[in-house]
Amino acid sequence: MLQSEQVDCLVIGSGFGGSVAASRLSSAGKKVVLLERGKEWKTSDEQDTFSSYRHPDGRSAWLSDETVLFEPQPIPRFTGLVERCVEDGVTVWVAAGVGGGSLVYNTVLLRPSQENFEKVFASEVSYSDFVKYFDRVYAVMQPEQIPDEVLNTHYYLSSRVFLEQAAKAGLHTEKLFIASSWDIAKQEISGEKRPSAIDGEIWYGINSGMKKSLDRNYLDIGLRTGNLEIRPLHNVTGIREDDSDGFAVHYQRIDSSGKSLEEGTITTRRLFLGAGSIGTSRLLIKAKGKGTLPKLNDFVGKFWGDNGDTFATRNVGTETNPGQGGPASVVIKHHDNPISPQTIIVYPQWDAPEGTLTSLGMSIPQDHGEFRYDDRDESVKLFWPIDSPGVRKVLDGVNHTYSLMDACIDIEAEAPDSQDSGQTSNGRTHPTTQAVNGITAHPLGGVVMGKACDYYGRVMGYDGLYVMDGAFIPGSTAATNPALTIAAFAERSIENIIANDL
Ligand SMILES: Cc1cc2nc3c(=O)[nH]c(=O)nc-3n(C[C@H](O)[C@H](O)[C@H](O)COP(=O)(O)OP(=O)(O)OC[C@H]3O[C@@H](n4cnc5c(N)ncnc54)[C@H](O)[C@@H]3O)c2cc1C
């Protein structure tokens, strides 16, 4: 049966952009409905909400017959947490669930430096004015730095080795601010809670409840106003202009196997897109391709980037305890790297060999990808120029940083099966780290500021249509993990929209 209704403000997607918008709109007295394709995930004392890395099940992946992180393993099809989008030149991981990426992420909320911020964002966004929005997100999400008493346990050995290596190479390090409760990590360590974060179980959710995910702060604030209604397992399939009422949004209400139980249309004058870079871009490009939102401009689908992400598993020739000790808690900032600025975090990987560190580098890509619509099957595909000099530069940059660290490894202690090696003067070998790219958990762009939108997320061509999420950001959050910057831009945009448009 086709449902039909009209609402004041409609938000699609409950990640960082969607949650900030829904929370601030409802707190400003607006009636808000939020449609989220994924399910709710509430942690409990039983500590069995999420799948584990070591024994994965359907909860780990979005409607997939196999796991989508680490070595593939068969699983039942379920509306689980992580979706893998295999695109042209890049594979992208995104989240699904009430709270979006905040359910799966490493909880890192890292501020870009002013210098890097100004390399990415136009002068219309002044860094000195923008800082208050970082503060605003921190005030709600309450990130914390790892206490020394936790860092000094054997669980966090990999973080300490990473810090020591960086110090030897003369690189700047910091403790990260992460939206996780270290008190709960302490309870895991003392045995009051079962090991979860300390066992490196992060990306499928942390069963001990350590993550301060968006459902526990921004969305909770919105719900407490009585003005916000969240509808999980509502997958939006189309958006069109509606002559009398702004926009008509078509959705399917699905069960936990993804089967459609019901279809419906909601009309609204205020539509806020928070389906993420991939989700929002797909919806708008499809609408433009099918002619249901014909006034979208030709920049829609352009200026996509992978945030300069690279991954490396590095042999460091000493014990590391690599499968434990999460979430990521320390960072190297090598922003004066002569090739490309680099920010590198170390994170636990349960199946990494002893003696290795797994790390994620982030930079500023010098090239852009784009989404294209295929009217034969109404599909949207992302194209990323993986071999272009601009993308290669990021890889060369991170490998340069790793070469400084590799050079400091104690060769006598080095494990015999170290990676590709180069001879040193005494005939022994140093490991040579080769990072890889073409995979990202940080998709950004597709409906970007100054091109497809104004600098507050108002989509050009349509009054009342707004982009709040990572689609708004032009390809990079300036050599940082993106969640904080996405949320801060959403804070800035929604403040302006509430003041001027509603
Ligand atoms: C494994 C992993 C680890 C990460 N770690 C970090 C980290 O430590 N720090 C950091 O800054 N970033 C991290 N990220 C990236 C971060 O999660 C994203 O940058 C961020 O969540 C993007 O926010 P967003 O608002 O753009 O969209 P998202 O958070 O992706 O939210 C989009 C939401 O929209 C929903 N949606 C999509 N399409 C539809 C549709 N058609 N109908 C209804 N709902 C829809 C999705 O289910 C999702 O819940 C990580 C990502 C992953 C996958």
Side-chain angles (χ1 to χ4, degrees), residues 12-18 35-38 69 82 93-102 104-110 203 214 234-237 274-277 279-280 283 345 441-444 468-471 481-484 486:
I12 303 173
S14 61
F16 288 86
L35 302 180
E36 164 58 53
R37 66 177 176 163
L69 298 172
V82 183
W93 289 315
V94 294
V98 174
S102 76
V104 303
Y105 78 147
N106 247 304
T107 71
V108 174
L109 294 181
L110 184 59
W203 290 344
L214 292 161
H234 281 63
N235 187 32
V236 172
T237 53
S277 165
T280 289
L283 285 170
I345 62 169
H442 298 160
L444 293 165
M468 294 286 115
D469 54 27
N481 317 60
L484 173 64
I486 293 170

Side-chain angles (χ1 to χ4, degrees), residues 354-369:
E354 181 52 73
T356 62
L357 292 178
T358 48
S359 50
L360 160 68
M362 290 155 286
S363 184
I364 304 176
Q366 304 296 310
D367 213 334
H368 289 116

Side-chain angles (χ1 to χ4, degrees), residues 297-316:
N297 75 21
D298 289 340
F299 289 122
V300 171
K302 304 274 196 314
F303 301 103
W304 185 88
D306 69 350
N307 201 38
D309 279 10
T310 55
F311 291 88
T313 300
R314 305 181 48 246
N315 196 322
V316 295

Side-chain angles (χ1 to χ4, degrees), residues 88-382:
D88 193 311
V90 67
T91 293
V92 184
W93 289 315
V94 294
V98 174
S102 76
L103 297 162
V104 303
Y105 78 147
N106 247 304
T107 71
V108 174
L109 294 181
L110 184 59
R111 293 176 190 229
S113 70
Q114 178 163 358
E115 188 183 348
N116 286 333
F117 188 93
E118 287 171 354
K119 282 182 191 157
V120 174
F121 298 106
S123 56
E124 282 79 356
V125 188
S126 137
Y127 186 83
S128 54
D129 291 344
F130 195 77
V131 168
K132 67 173 175 281
Y133 301 106
F134 292 136
D135 294 340
R136 206 168 280 183
V137 178
Y138 270 22
V140 176
M141 300 201 74
Q142 302 277 317
E144 305 173 19
Q145 290 178 300
I146 188 169
D148 285 340
E149 63 186 290
V150 176
L151 183 59
N152 289 330
T153 62
H154 73 276
Y155 300 106
Y156 291 85
L157 178 62
S158 58
S159 300
R160 295 203 303 282
V161 172
F162 188 68
L163 290 173
E164 285 158 17
Q165 267 211 324
K168 275 193 200 164
L171 298 168
H172 175 80
T173 58
E174 288 172 17
K175 284 182 176 180
L176 286 161
F177 281 90
I178 69 169
S180 282
S181 161
W182 288 108
D183 278 344
I184 293 187
K186 286 182 202 165
Q187 290 169 22
E188 292 187 29
I189 291 167
S190 70
E192 281 170 75
K193 285 187 179 283
R194 281 201 299 280
S196 211
I198 61 171
D199 217 10
E201 296 280 354
I202 308 300
W203 290 344
Y204 294 161
I206 302 183
N207 271 316
S208 63
M210 184 178 176
K211 281 188 188 179
K212 300 176 184 181
S213 47
L214 292 161
D215 50 322
R216 300 168 72 174
N217 39 69
Y218 273 104
L219 290 174
D220 186 52
I221 292 168
L223 287 172
R224 278 190 279 116
T225 65
N227 291 325
L228 171 61
E229 185 191 342
I230 300 174
R231 298 184 189 166
L233 296 172
H234 281 63
N235 187 32
V236 172
T237 53
I239 305 172
R240 63 176 162 77
E241 293 178 357
D242 183 74
D243 288 346
S244 57
D245 219 343
F247 306 96
V249 172
H250 190 79
Y251 68 85
Q252 291 180 335
R253 187 166 66 81
I254 56 177
D255 69 12
S256 60
S257 71
K259 192 174 129 228
S260 176
L261 301 173
E262 177 181 73
E263 298 195 17
T265 301
I266 300 180
T267 53
T268 184
R269 292 198 173 283
R270 304 286 171 203
L271 178 58
F272 297 84
L273 297 171
S277 165
I278 300 284
T280 289
S281 301
R282 279 181 182 160
L283 285 170
L284 288 192
I285 288 157
K286 191 171 152 194
K288 184 171 164 64
K290 289 180 74 173
T292 60
L293 289 178
K295 291 183 293 219
L296 294 175
N297 75 21
D298 289 340
F299 289 122
V300 171
K302 304 274 196 314
F303 301 103
W304 185 88
D306 69 350
N307 201 38
D309 279 10
T310 55
F311 291 88
T313 300
R314 305 181 48 246
N315 196 322
V316 295
T318 184
E319 194 185 344
T320 52
N321 209 3
Q324 297 186 336
S329 55
V330 295
V331 62
I332 292 174
K333 291 183 176 173
H334 190 199
H335 292 171
D336 56 357
N337 178 314
I339 303 169
S340 55
Q342 293 293 333
T343 300
I344 303 175
I345 62 169
V346 64
Y347 60 89
Q349 176 139 337
W350 74 278
D351 57 354
E354 181 52 73
T356 62
L357 292 178
T358 48
S359 50
L360 160 68
M362 290 155 286
S363 184
I364 304 176
Q366 304 296 310
D367 213 334
H368 289 116
E370 65 176 34
F371 295 86
R372 293 179 204 152
Y373 179 68
D374 186 339
D375 56 9
R376 287 169 302 184
D377 58 357
E378 296 183 4
S379 64
V380 176
K381 188 94 186 155
L382 172 62

Side-chain angles (χ1 to χ4, degrees), residues 494-502:
I494 203 69
E495 178 185 64
N496 188 282
I497 290 163
I498 289 171
N500 296 301
D501 297 15
L502 304 183

